[in-house]
Amino acid sequence: MTLLALNPLVSPDPGLFIWSTVAFILLFFLLSKFAWKPIVQALDERERSIEDALVKAEMAKEEMAKLTSENELLLKQARIERDEILKQAKELKDQIVSDAKTAAQTEGAKMIEKARTEIENQKIAAMAEVKNQVATLSLQIAEKVLRSQFEDQNKQNELVTDLLKEVKLN
Amino acid sequence: MDLSHIFNSKKIVSIAFSAVFLACTIFTSVAQEPVKVEEPHVSRSEMNAPHEEKEEDISATILHHIADSHEWHFWGEGDHSVSIPLPVILWSDNGLVTFLSNKHGHNDHGTEIFEEDGQKLINYHGKFYYPNAAKNAEGAYVELDENSVPTNAKPLDISITKNVVSLFISIIVLLVVFISIAKAYRKREGKAPKGLQSVLEPIILFVRDDIAKPQLGYRYAAFMPYLLTVFFFVWLNNLMGLIPFFPGGANLTGNISVTMMLALCTFVLTTVNGNKNYWGHVFKPHVPWWLYPLMIPVEIIGLFTKPIALMIRLFANITAGHILILSLISLIFILKSVLVAGIAVPFVIFISVIELVVGFIQAFIFTILSALFIGMAVEEHAEH
């Protein structure tokens, strides 16, 4: 006690001790109830909500990435499909064109053939006509000649002689 | 420990700058104050060896500045001083005695007996005693022991002293600030902090994440209110002690009664929350049985040295800071040259800025050690 009594600084003062104890305990209870509880709760809650938000954001990001990759895949498939379709279309077109060409050629050939046959027929018919015509004309000419020949007796004789001569020659 | 978010904050930097400014204004005002204090001492000291007496006066002045008082002194000396008288409450032999401290003048040499509520009292160096029947050699009604401490009986002094007023002011400030912040949290639920809330939130988080959680683990939540209360109480009072004029300058956390009360709170919490493990560690330490007679007393003493160290650390650090600042200022009066101020004042400003840091660090240390002691008491498995 003499050591403590040496300096008033290190000797506790009962009055201040009592007041500070009462005041501090009061402060502790008031702050605990009206300040620390809501503050700590609010901080915890906010931290939790931030964490939740971050987790959700991360999830959304993953989802997004997944969707993007899916989209890309779809796009790729679509592109392949489109190429396929285009290729098929081209083939089809080529085939149609070539088919058309072949058909046109055969048809053309056929038509030419037909035309040729027709021309041949027409030619034959025309020839026959010409022959008939010529025969008729010849007969008519022969008739006229004969008629004019037979009007004169001399001439008939001459002819007969001629004919006979010819026979003799044979 | 991650403190960077505190030290990097622009707000903290600006607070530090304003603190430096405040320190400048503070110490110009403090520097003027002791001039008036000096005069009566000089006239008194002429009888004795003047030089020695002078130095004693300065240490007395310094001790007076950091000690408790029944009035809140502003300036002036004796009957010309300007101060707020504070109520004196004494539990004496005749029951409760109350009066304002200026009612019976400013005589604190114990040479005048006054009577209040039928109780005869004297004021000796700011403390109230029952008077002796006869005067001593100096004309005071006291009997001094070899350390110049009166041996007179005295009533229980539960006055509202300067420290008690400062205590109340700090408590009102803490209540107003934190209850308003709590309201802000309730009103702006889930939103970002704003204003005062955003200034104090990093510090609350600092107490939680850097003090409570590392020491207490998952049990931290139960002790958060105590740790936060202690931290802000100590910090605010450390800072208020650095302001030399009203409402600061009371040196509350540099008073051993207050640090004793705080250490006792930690001690009570440790003792009440101590689990089987903790007491087992004290009474059945992990040493060979024949060391028990040595170890058990050591462990029991250890229970008490921890809070005592807490008490003395805070008290000594804060008081030392105050004494250092006052001593540097007193250099001007010891060397009797105003030119000394050119060196002393920058030094005082430097030390004051350090004291601002010390104020925070001591609050932090007190809180983290409290958390550590509580943590040791509630730990499930002792790792030894």
Side-chain angles (χ1 to χ4, degrees):
Chain A
M1 266 333 268
T2 48
L3 233 164
L4 283 184
L6 266 177
N7 194 326
L9 282 179
V10 290
S11 44
D13 174 13
L16 183 58
F17 180 78
I18 292 166
W19 280 115
S20 61
T21 308
V22 170
F24 185 78
I25 289 172
L26 194 71
L27 175 75
F28 169 69
F29 281 111
L30 286 176
L31 280 184
S32 302
K33 188 159 166 30
F34 297 113
W36 304 135
K37 210 174 136 200
I39 289 174
V40 170
Q41 259 175 10
L43 284 175
D44 282 350
E45 210 143 294
R46 196 168 67 205
E47 259 159 37
R48 214 173 307 130
S49 81
I50 289 172
E51 203 134 308
D52 276 2
L54 282 177
V55 167
K56 269 181 198 152
E58 191 63 31
M59 268 161 65
K61 215 167 118 190
E62 266 168 34
E63 192 80 6
M64 198 67 187
K66 222 168 87 185
L67 274 179
T68 313
S69 72
E70 248 169 47
N71 276 355
E72 228 150 78
L73 202 73
L74 274 178
L75 211 66
K76 219 164 146 190
Q77 280 177 345
R79 216 169 274 150
I80 291 168
E81 215 159 298
R82 185 198 63 183
D83 287 350
E84 191 74 19
I85 290 170
L86 275 179
K87 208 171 122 196
Q88 280 178 355
K90 200 160 175 260
E91 273 170 17
L92 199 65
K93 181 198 79 174
D94 287 349
Q95 200 182 342
I96 289 171
V97 168
S98 75
D99 279 1
K101 249 185 212 163
T102 329
Q105 268 172 349
T106 13
E107 195 68 17
K110 229 188 256 174
M111 271 164 79
I112 289 169
E113 192 59 35
K114 219 171 157 186
R116 198 172 283 150
T117 329
E118 190 71 14
I119 289 168
E120 205 62 34
N121 289 346
Q122 289 291 329
K123 205 170 124 188
I124 290 165
M127 283 302 258
E129 186 105 350
V130 168
K131 271 181 191 161
N132 284 341
Q133 207 77 29
V134 167
T136 320
L137 277 173
S138 307
L139 283 174
Q140 279 173 351
I141 291 167
E143 197 188 311
K144 274 180 188 158
V145 169
L146 282 173
R147 212 163 270 162
S148 59
Q149 287 283 350
F150 287 116
E151 278 169 9
D152 180 0
Q153 200 62 44
N154 287 343
K155 273 203 185 168
Q156 284 179 22
N157 290 340
E158 235 173 86
L159 185 62
V160 174
T161 16
D162 276 351
L163 281 170
L164 284 171
K165 257 188 220 171
E166 257 171 57
V167 172
K168 235 191 239 172
L169 270 171
N170 272 345
Chain B
M1 198 178 309
D2 183 26
L3 289 169
S4 56
H5 59 289
I6 290 179
F7 294 133
N8 289 342
S9 158
K10 271 187 187 158
K11 263 187 184 138
I12 300 290
V13 172
S14 64
I15 288 169
F17 268 108
S18 47
V20 173
F21 257 96
L22 191 66
C24 292
T25 44
I26 285 165
F27 290 106
T28 47
S29 65
V30 165
Q32 288 157 4
E33 201 184 333
V35 178
K36 289 160 191 159
V37 179
E38 284 307 306
E39 284 160 12
H41 295 313
V42 173
S43 60
R44 203 153 46 103
S45 61
E46 274 165 6
M47 294 176 277
N48 303 328
H51 191 67
E52 230 169 87
E53 183 70 15
K54 177 106 183 158
E55 271 178 12
E56 208 172 281
D57 268 348
I58 283 181
S59 71
T61 307
I62 290 172
L63 286 180
H64 176 75
H65 266 272
I66 58 178
D68 206 354
S69 162
H70 283 289
E71 56 177 20
W72 202 305
H73 182 256
F74 289 104
W75 59 77
E77 183 69 15
D79 291 332
H80 305 291
S81 67
V82 176
S83 58
I84 301 175
L86 299 170
V88 176
I89 305 166
L90 302 173
W91 184 258
S92 71
D93 295 343
N94 291 354
L96 210 60
V97 177
T98 55
F99 56 94
L100 266 186
S101 66
N102 66 345
K103 189 174 172 188
H104 299 288
H106 291 279
N107 183 335
D108 68 346
H109 303 304
T111 52
E112 274 173 39
I113 299 176
F114 58 87
E115 200 174 319
E116 188 71 43
D117 294 334
Q119 179 65 53
K120 282 193 168 73
L121 292 163
I122 51 163
N123 180 347
Y124 188 77
H125 293 280
K127 287 199 167 90
F128 295 97
Y129 295 92
Y130 299 131
N132 273 0
K135 291 186 179 186
N136 67 3
E138 284 169 0
Y141 293 92
V142 289
E143 205 181 305
L144 302 177
D145 63 11
E146 69 271 25
N147 295 317
S148 309
V149 175
T151 53
N152 295 35
K154 56 179 178 180
L156 176 65
D157 189 346
I158 46 170
S159 309
I160 309 293
T161 58
K162 185 178 170 185
N163 275 341
V164 176
V165 173
S166 175
L167 171 77
F168 290 163
I169 293 172
S170 71
I171 281 174
I172 289 168
V173 169
L174 286 173
L175 284 176
V176 168
V177 165
F178 286 105
I179 290 176
S180 77
I181 285 181
K183 258 187 210 140
Y185 273 105
R186 224 173 280 148
K187 212 192 292 169
R188 301 171 45 77
E189 206 185 324
K191 287 185 195 157
K194 205 175 149 193
L196 196 58
Q197 198 188 354
S198 61
V199 177
L200 290 166
E201 184 176 308
I203 305 171
I204 295 173
L205 289 177
F206 166 71
V207 172
R208 192 190 66 180
D209 297 337
D210 290 324
I211 297 178
K213 277 184 183 173
Q215 311 300 338
L216 293 161
Y218 69 91
R219 297 179 203 80
Y220 81 95
F223 300 101
M224 271 302 278
Y226 175 69
L227 296 175
L228 283 168
T229 310
V230 164
F231 180 82
F232 284 105
F233 179 81
V234 173
W235 191 29
L236 178 68
N237 281 302
N238 284 349
L239 294 184
M240 275 172 63
L242 288 174
I243 308 171
F245 44 78
F246 188 83
N251 191 26
L252 189 71
T253 40
N255 190 302
I256 201 149
S257 316
V258 175
T259 61
M260 184 194 230
M261 177 275 294
L262 291 169
L264 204 65
C265 288
T266 298
F267 178 68
V268 168
L269 270 180
T270 332
T271 311
V272 168
N273 288 295
N275 58 14
K276 216 168 68 187
N277 224 315
Y278 176 67
W279 295 116
H281 192 75
V282 173
F283 293 108
K284 263 185 77 182
H286 299 278
V287 290
W289 63 268
W290 48 269
L291 271 175
Y292 278 14
L294 186 68
M295 278 309 284
I296 291 176
V298 166
E299 290 284 350
I300 290 172
I301 291 168
L303 293 182
F304 297 100
T305 52
K306 282 183 283 189
I308 289 173
L310 269 186
M311 165 178 94
I312 292 178
R313 183 181 296 107
L314 181 58
F315 152 76
N317 271 288
I318 302 306
T319 301
H322 283 235
I323 290 176
L324 196 52
I325 289 171
L326 289 166
S327 305
L328 283 168
I329 286 295
S330 300
L331 274 182
I332 302 167
F333 305 101
I334 293 169
L335 299 175
K336 289 186 195 138
S337 166
V338 94
L339 294 175
V340 180
I343 301 160
V345 170
F347 256 103
V348 164
I349 291 169
F350 174 67
I351 297 294
S352 304
V353 175
I354 288 181
E355 283 305 309
L356 285 176
V357 180
V358 168
F360 179 84
I361 291 174
Q362 287 306 320
F364 164 64
I365 289 177
F366 195 98
T367 317
I368 200 166
L369 287 179
S370 294
L372 181 76
F373 296 156
I374 296 169
M376 280 160 72
V378 298
E379 205 176 23
E380 296 285 352
H381 302 286
E383 286 122 31
H384 288 287

